[in-house]
Amino acid sequence: MRLRPPPPRAVTLPLLAGCLLACCLSCTGTDGSAPADTGAPGVGDRLFPDAGNGGYDVGRYTLDLDYDPASGRLRGTATLTATADQDLERFDLDLAGMEVSRVTVDGATARATRAGTELRISPAHRLRRGARFTTTVAYQGVPRTLTDPDGSHEGWFRTDDGALALGEPVGSMAWFPGDDHPSDKAAFDVTVTVPRGLTAVSGGEPVGTRPAAGGRTSYQWRSTAPMATYLATVAIGHFDVTRSTTPDGLPLYVAVDPRSDDAATAAALARIPEILSWEQGLFGPYPFASAGAVVDHLPKGRVGYALETQTRPVFPGDGPPPAVDQVTLAHELAHQWFGDSVTPSAWQDMWLNEGFATFTEWLWKAREGGPSLDASAAAALADPAAWAFPPASPPDAAAVSAAPAYGRGALVLYELRRTLGAAVFGRLLKQWAAAHRHGNASTADFTAFCARLTSRDLRPLFATWLYGAARPAHL
Ligand code: TRP
Ligand code: ZN
């Protein structure tokens, strides 16, 4: 990396040395063309190097969206309040496609250019480290469906009556500009204006609806608890909406596309209060102010997975089979603790999401008279796909949601339970959820946390089940 001379400043020598160091650290580096005080184009995620951005931390996204199902066009204004964690004369947001018509920073028009999925913003005035600043981006276009390195689809999907947004791992950038990495969680205010007769569902709590121009309706949603961008969603279309309250007093908001409604789906959804209450017994208090689900009519071939969007997991389907079953429901609801509240620091820590959610499936099946916990663990041990690589080290971006994160991730927990005993393991689940509630955690955080919970040496367990390449002959 070539060192660039710092901008001339009237500073004393020790200060100048500090500045040189700071400028060097903030260089984007490889081509030497980035000016000092430029926010990095990615947070340095090993699997998704361009995901997220350096130089600032978002506190709140206010998304004002307007969708026309007939043309598929989305018009939006994104307002981001953020704090600079370095001096910034330029910073990036992530945005895939869409046309940007105007960007302002603290009310003044800012210069903006596009480079791949980076929206590069040069504010009229340099931002000082520690400054809180507000960026607005006005944009429009037909949002894209993105194809991930593993061939799966995310981002924005048009449906026959509207649209659906799903963002794991890097799909939120298809429908709003942001810091699209799980390490930067923020509050969200989402308002979606749609033609009369359609409903717009998002995460968090419904604030209300109001009439908009042209006989349309605006739906407003608010997530006060911090949320990673990949967990944001919006579903637009015809929905039957059921609002209720669980016996524990938690508001539920369940939206079902009538075309994906069937007896099995309804029966599974009816168990949400029971599943949540059971999971609270295992993991501690539910971390958010509301819960629910979205069932949307979408060809299975186009999405093919459910997603744990915060407070309101999405289940796409065009049945049969039904869009929702109780095991998948238990999985996505478990993610509300593990993934949504305790969010991975980086994409390589994905097993912290999927391992916990899969282990929850095993517990749920055992409770419901299905295979025992031991039988589920034995099946995961016998599954060659789960042994393609160690769960703690996916080789590349295409491996982010591969079988090791699920089956082997769950086996790590199974082995911890056997080693620690059910009582200590029970405390582990609750305390892990509490220790990083509404935050982020890495694999190293997890192993250190486990070590503090016991006097046993857990290193051999982690060496075999979390990091090891070889499959043990038996459990
Ligand atoms: N998180 C989803 C689930 O298990 C699955 C999934 C969809 C996923 N897209 C992904 C996992 C991308 C990791 C990365 O419920
Ligand atoms: Zn999952």
Side-chain angles (χ1 to χ4, degrees), residues 95-113:
L95 182 65
M98 308 299 281
E99 304 128 37
V100 171
S101 45
R102 183 164 189 241
V103 177
T104 68
V105 175
D106 290 336
T109 299
R111 212 171 80 83
T113 59

Side-chain angles (χ1 to χ4, degrees), residues 280-329:
Q280 293 201 75
L282 290 167
F283 312 143
Y286 178 78
F288 303 114
S290 68
V294 176
V295 179
D296 205 355
H297 185 263
L298 217 70
K300 271 261 188 320
R302 287 186 60 204
V303 178
Y305 56 83
L307 193 67
E308 64 268 27
T309 38
Q310 191 156 305
T311 66
R312 210 135 291 123
V314 171
F315 303 86
D318 58 349
V324 192
D325 60 83
Q326 39 163 304
V327 175
T328 310
L329 195 52

Side-chain angles (χ1 to χ4, degrees), residues 331-428:
H331 177 114
E332 304 308 337
L333 294 176
H335 275 311
Q336 302 305 310
W337 284 262
F338 307 111
D340 297 14
S341 171
V342 182
T343 303
S345 301
W347 286 111
Q348 64 186 359
D349 301 314
M350 183 50 29
W351 79 273
L352 289 172
N353 286 10
E354 303 306 346
F356 278 73
T358 302
F359 187 75
T360 307
E361 288 185 30
W362 296 357
L363 293 174
W364 178 259
K365 287 182 196 163
R367 175 190 194 262
E368 292 295 297
S372 68
L373 191 55
D374 294 338
S376 291
L381 182 71
D383 175 15
W387 292 85
F389 55 83
S393 45
D396 53 33
V400 67
S401 65
Y406 290 75
R408 259 191 87 174
L411 279 174
V412 173
L413 298 176
Y414 176 81
E415 287 299 319
L416 279 168
R417 186 174 179 276
R418 284 218 304 195
T419 304
L420 300 174
V424 174
F425 181 75
R427 286 205 291 281
L428 183 154

Side-chain angles (χ1 to χ4, degrees), residues 83 109 111 128 157 171 304 455:
T83 305
T109 299
R111 212 171 80 83
R128 291 294 173 196
F157 301 88
S455 54

Side-chain angles (χ1 to χ4, degrees), residues 45 181-185 228 230 337-354 356 392 431-450 452:
D45 191 283
H181 189 267
S183 56
D184 190 358
K185 299 168 73 166
Y230 82 92
W337 284 262
F338 307 111
D340 297 14
S341 171
V342 182
T343 303
S345 301
W347 286 111
Q348 64 186 359
D349 301 314
M350 183 50 29
W351 79 273
L352 289 172
N353 286 10
E354 303 306 346
F356 278 73
Q431 289 179 11
W432 175 247
H436 297 280
R437 183 174 185 268
H438 294 169
N440 289 97
S442 66
T443 300
D445 291 328
F446 182 73
T447 53
F449 167 86
C450 292
R452 285 196 295 274

